[in-house]
Structure formats: C-alpha cells, structure tokens
Amino acid sequence: MPIQAFLGQLLLGLVNGSFYAMLSLGLAVIFGLLNIINFSHGALYMMGAYVAYLALDLLGLGFWWSLALAPLLVGGFGILLERLLMRWIYKLDHLYGLLLTFGLALIIEGVYRYFFGVSGQPYPVPDALRGATDLGFMMLPNYRAFVVLASLIICFGTWYVIERTRLGAYLRAGTENPMLVQAFGVNVPLMVTLTYGFGVGLAAIGGVLAAPVIQINPLMGSNIIIVVFAVVVIGGMGSILGSIVTGLGLGIIEGLAKVYYAEASSTVVFVIMAIVLMVRPAGLFGREK
Amino acid sequence: MNKTYVGFAVMVVLGVVAPYTGAYPIFLMKALCFALFACAFNLLLGFTGLLSFGHAAFFGTAGYAAAYSIKSWGFAPEFGLLFAVAIAALLGWLIGSLAIRRQGIYFAMITLALAQMIYFFCLQAKFTGAEDGLQGVPRGILFGYFNLEDDLTMYYVVLGIFLIGFLIIFRTVHSPFGQVLKAIRENEARALSLGYDVDKHKLLAFVISTALSGLAGATKTVVLGFETLTDVNWPQSGEVVLMTLIGGIGTMFGPVVGAFSIITLQNELADKVGSWVQVIMGAIFVICVLAFRRGIVGELGALFSRKKAGPI
C-alpha cells in the first residue's frame, strides 16, 4: 500500500467523520432538550445539500452563499416543523418522537425523489479551494482539508457555547430539569424551538459541506442517518466532546477499512457498535441512567 | 376475552370465504404474510414495549433462507420454511442479546443499525444474488401431498400458517409469561425488583417475534417465488411499524387490519401516484402519531367500551 493512497483514504475517512460528528452532535443537542431522536436529521442534511445545488442552478449563488443560506432556510423549516408538529408529542413516550420524525423523513425524501429522481447531481468545488497543497509526503486536496477544519471549528464552537457560556448553562439546565428552569423565568419553549432550529442548521451546513465531495441525491440522508445512529450508540449522547471524538474516530476507522478490507467498510461501524455494546453497554462516553 | 373469541371467529370465516369474493389470491396471500409479520412485531412493541426498527432483517433473511434451501438444495416447502424459521430465530437471538443491553430509544437505534448490517451482508454475499435477488423459487409440494402450484391450495396453506402464528402470539400474550412481558412494558424497574429476570423474558419475546417474522417472510417468498433486497432494507422495517401503528399498537387484531389496509393502499396507489406512495406513507405516520395513536382497532374498541360505559 503506497503511503500516498493510505493517507488519501485516511483523509477521506476524516471528511466522512466530520459529517458524522456534526450530525451526531445535532442529534445529541436535540435529544438533550426535546427528548426526541430526530430521524429526519438525515433528510434535513440532504435538504442542505439541495439548497446549495438549487442556489447555484437557479440563482447562480455560489458555495459561500449556500453555506450561509442553507442553515437559515433549512433551520427555519425545522423551526416550522417543531412549532407545528413536534410540540404536541413532548409529553408522550420517546418512541412517538422517533416515529413522527421517521414519517417526516419519508415525506421529505419522497418529495425530493419525485423532483430529482435517484441519480446523483454533481456540485463543483468552490474556486478558492480547488487544487491541492503539496505537503512533501502527500498532496493535500484543499477542499477536503477545508471540510475537516470547518467542521472542527463548528463542533468546538458548539461545545464552547454549550459548556462555557451563560446561554449554554440555561441549555444544560433545561436538559436537566425544564420545569424548574421555566420557573426561574427562562422561556423554555422558545429555547426548545431555537435548539431544534440550531441542530437542524448544523445538519444543513453538513449537507452543504458534503455537496462537493459526494453526489447529491435524495437518498443521501437515509444512507447516513443509520450510520450516525450507530455512532450515537457507540459514543453515548451524554457528552458533546464524546460525540465529536466518536464521529471523527469512526470516520477514520471506516477509511482504514476501505484500505485494508474494502468489503467491510460499509459494516465496520455496526460491528464496532456490537462490540461496544458487549463491553460497555452505556457507550464510550455515556452515563448509565 | 369474549370479544376476542368473536373477533377470531369472524377473522377465520372471512379468511375461509375470501378467495370466493373475487379478491386476487396473490394479493390475499401477500396481505396475510404481512399480517403475520405485523402481529409478530406487535408482540414486541405492543405487549413488551420494545420498538424494534430492524424487523426487516428477520423477515428478509428468512426469505433468503427459504428461497435458497428450496431452490438450490431442493428442500420440500415444509423443510424450507422450518429452516428459514430456525435461521430467523438464531439471528433474533444474536441481535436480541445485543439490543436488550440498552433501553427505549437506544433499543430502536441498535436494532436499526444491526439490521442495516444484515442488509449490507445480503448485498455483498454470494448466495443472495445481490441486486438481482433469488428468482424462480418453485412452490413445490407440501408434505408430499398438497400441490402448492395451485393458487387456492396455496392460499389455504398460507391462511393456516397465519392462523397458527396468530394463535401462538395469542397464547404467548395470555400466558403467565405474557403477563410478565406486560409488567416489563409498564414498569421495567418494578418487574426487576419483583424478582423477574427481565433480560431473559425480553430476549425470549424477541426470539419468538423474530421466528414468527421469519415464518411470515419465508411464506411470502414461497408464495411469490422470489426474494429481493427490498425485504431486508430499512423501509420494510418502517412499513411493519406503520401497519401496527395504524391498526392499533397492543391490540390483538390491529396489526391484521393495519397490514391489510397498507397492502391495499399500496396496491391501489402504486400505478397511480408512483413515487408519491412514500410521501403518503410518511403522512400517515405523522397523522397517526399526532391524532390517531390508538389506531383503527384501538379507536373502535374505545368507542365500543365508551358506549357500554364499562372498562375493557
């Protein structure tokens, strides 16, 4: 195995890991406050990618515009979903949240399939990030490096806001005991809505970042969400840093699997999940309730 | 309890006369297979409180096992079905032992992820025929006597299989074992503190459910004569959830009603609206969760008992 190809796969794994990290982070934040596992997260990620595609195709707006536009549009759509549908089921069993968002995912995916079919749409790499940088031991594709860097900044930014700011303290308190926080005068329903919008926005940014490295297609959401569920089970949803580390780590492992035993690359995350369940059922960073 | 017996009698009579009402026999058989699948799924969701989002894995794997053993090894249909059920039960035991290590929402995610692993396995393995699936599986002769190539004979065999599966579930739910399952559904910690081995009960319920799901999947393969990746993929897992939800979670007849409703709907819509079927299924999910959580049978039951003004 030439070192070039090896490092190339490793980087590709890291890129995939960045998407896992951003999506599982969003899932964890949403679950913390809403007690809903957002099955439609993958579909919303797919919507983010399509915002980029359509903005370029219809309006001629490039990648950087999309990066700002997608989280606003898709996040706004998420807020609409939360206000109109999800708030009715907070008091019910968690399972209904999963079923409701599963139904939403089917609807979104079905609509996009109707308009775009199942074949992939290419999306160009933005001009500023074309080409590769010679690091001496490998050629580093600029765009891929950018994706990893951008998602790291976004993930750690999220971590900082939640763990180190006053707003984050409200959020953590709301996760712990929403009734009490509301009694202290914090507008919890508004916080819940904005949190959902934020989590969805993260997914949309992930979608835009993914657009130039994968083929955009309506099924990309359901393909990734199941892997992200496994990532969440492995990492446990208790810790934000845990979600980030687990996402990146599993991306790398998946990349390595592609190098050494390509047949296993689609299942390696699930196998790791099975092993973690046997050894440490609460997940690597989880707390057993 | 009496109501259940009346319901069962009505179901048997309907099942026996159905082929003479002009209904398309293949459609009836397919619907019966899905009805059994949904009933088996409901044993977990409705009577044990476990939401498995990966039941397609058992349904589909059993379908492959039946198709392969009948087509390539020349198994008689009864042995093909038995073999498939054994495979589904074994797989259920493996996946179940892992999944019951976590509760609630995690259980759903784990079953979904492990089922997707099975899907990728079926996609890559040699004996499943990958994208083509296994085609041209002969129905054969059951017990060396009943020629299943005849649609009417096949129909009554499928009806028999469905009724046997239904009675097994009925018996399980109404046994002391089933009462413990209900206790686990209502309050797992309390069931544990009362001295019940919760994990063992959950695992056994899981294996019974997966074995019967396998029976449903294998029977469907024998009826249709082919098996493809659709049956192991995640939308199939979602579909069985929807059938149970729309019919009524935790009711005896709900999954049967739900399965017939969904299969009918898909049959009617498939050539008219094309890919909008998925959107409609999603919309039914949303409506059921928001406004119709008791399902058809559950709502009817509630209406009935409200009129009589007594408890169920």
Side-chain angles (χ1 to χ4, degrees), chain A residues 174-209:
Chain A
T175 305
E176 214 61 50
N177 190 339
M179 298 287 278
L180 201 59
V181 176
Q182 187 147 23
F184 285 149
V186 176
N187 188 345
V188 172
L190 179 69
M191 198 164 76
V192 165
T193 305
L194 292 180
T195 303
Y196 189 73
F198 174 77
V200 170
L202 274 185
I205 294 179
V208 177
L209 288 175

Side-chain angles (χ1 to χ4, degrees), chain A residues 36-86:
Chain A
I36 282 181
I37 280 288
N38 190 24
F39 209 122
S40 50
H41 220 62
L44 296 161
Y45 158 83
M46 178 267 287
M47 283 177 79
Y50 270 99
V51 168
Y53 173 75
L54 290 174
L56 187 68
D57 206 45
L58 301 177
L59 308 172
L61 294 175
F63 177 79
W64 305 105
W65 278 102
S66 301
L67 210 50
L69 214 56
L72 290 179
L73 286 177
V74 182
F77 177 68
I79 285 174
L80 215 60
L81 290 182
E82 196 278 333
R83 282 287 82 189
L84 291 178
L85 303 174
M86 287 176 200

Side-chain angles (χ1 to χ4, degrees), chain B residues 22-38:
Chain B
Y24 185 47
I26 300 280
F27 162 77
L28 287 174
M29 290 189 263
K30 194 176 156 198
L32 277 175
C33 292
F34 277 101
L36 176 58
F37 184 24

Side-chain angles (χ1 to χ4, degrees), chain B residues 263-278:
Chain B
I263 298 290
T264 309
L265 201 63
Q266 284 175 342
N267 254 25
E268 293 295 317
L269 293 177
D271 34 335
K272 292 183 192 126
V273 296
S275 65
W276 287 101
V277 171
Q278 189 182 353

Side-chain angles (χ1 to χ4, degrees), chain A:
Chain A
M1 167 64 54
I3 190 79
Q4 284 280 339
F6 175 82
L7 290 172
Q9 279 301 333
L10 206 62
L11 184 64
L12 203 58
L14 211 53
V15 168
N16 277 329
S18 311
F19 301 136
Y20 297 159
M22 285 177 72
L23 290 183
S24 62
L25 182 62
L27 276 185
V29 172
I30 290 171
F31 183 72
L33 210 55
L34 279 75
N35 274 326
I36 282 181
I37 280 288
N38 190 24
F39 209 122
S40 50
H41 220 62
L44 296 161
Y45 158 83
M46 178 267 287
M47 283 177 79
Y50 270 99
V51 168
Y53 173 75
L54 290 174
L56 187 68
D57 206 45
L58 301 177
L59 308 172
L61 294 175
F63 177 79
W64 305 105
W65 278 102
S66 301
L67 210 50
L69 214 56
L72 290 179
L73 286 177
V74 182
F77 177 68
I79 285 174
L80 215 60
L81 290 182
E82 196 278 333
R83 282 287 82 189
L84 291 178
L85 303 174
M86 287 176 200
R87 69 188 179 109
W88 301 105
I89 57 162
Y90 290 144
K91 290 201 176 72
L92 304 175
D93 195 298
H94 293 358
L95 299 179
Y96 286 110
L98 187 74
L99 297 181
L100 177 71
T101 50
F102 178 72
L104 290 174
L106 286 183
I107 294 176
I108 298 170
E109 194 182 283
V111 169
Y112 275 78
R113 271 172 77 168
Y114 176 76
F115 286 108
F116 299 100
V118 286
S119 53
Q121 322 274 358
Y123 185 85
V125 172
D127 289 332
L129 297 168
R130 263 170 226 250
T133 313
D134 194 348
L135 294 180
F137 56 93
M138 73 175 290
M139 294 296 285
L140 182 69
N142 290 342
Y143 184 73
R144 289 180 186 176
F146 166 77
V147 169
V148 177
L149 201 69
S151 84
L152 279 178
I153 291 171
I154 291 166
C155 286
F156 282 102
T158 308
W159 171 81
Y160 183 82
V161 170
I162 291 177
E163 297 288 339
R164 292 284 182 272
T165 64
R166 177 167 281 270
L167 187 66
Y170 288 149
L171 205 72
R172 280 178 287 134
T175 305
E176 214 61 50
N177 190 339
M179 298 287 278
L180 201 59
V181 176
Q182 187 147 23
F184 285 149
V186 176
N187 188 345
V188 172
L190 179 69
M191 198 164 76
V192 165
T193 305
L194 292 180
T195 303
Y196 189 73
F198 174 77
V200 170
L202 274 185
I205 294 179
V208 177
L209 288 175
V213 271
I214 59 165
Q215 295 271 313
I216 306 172
N217 84 70
L219 303 179
M220 64 191 260
S222 46
N223 288 339
I224 199 168
I225 191 66
I226 299 177
V227 180
V228 171
F229 278 175
V231 170
V232 164
V233 172
I234 293 169
M237 281 188 290
S239 130
I240 294 197
L241 278 181
S243 307
I244 303 172
V245 172
T246 316
L248 288 173
L250 286 169
I252 293 174
I253 292 175
E254 215 178 45
L256 289 180
K258 278 206 184 82
V259 176
Y260 291 106
Y261 189 64
E263 287 84 359
S265 62
S266 52
T267 48
V268 66
V269 174
F270 304 128
V271 174
I272 293 175
M273 183 187 81
I275 296 170
V276 168
L277 281 172
M278 281 189 274
V279 181
R280 213 182 133 79
L284 295 179
F285 301 92
R287 290 167 296 179
E288 191 68 272
K289 275 186 190 169

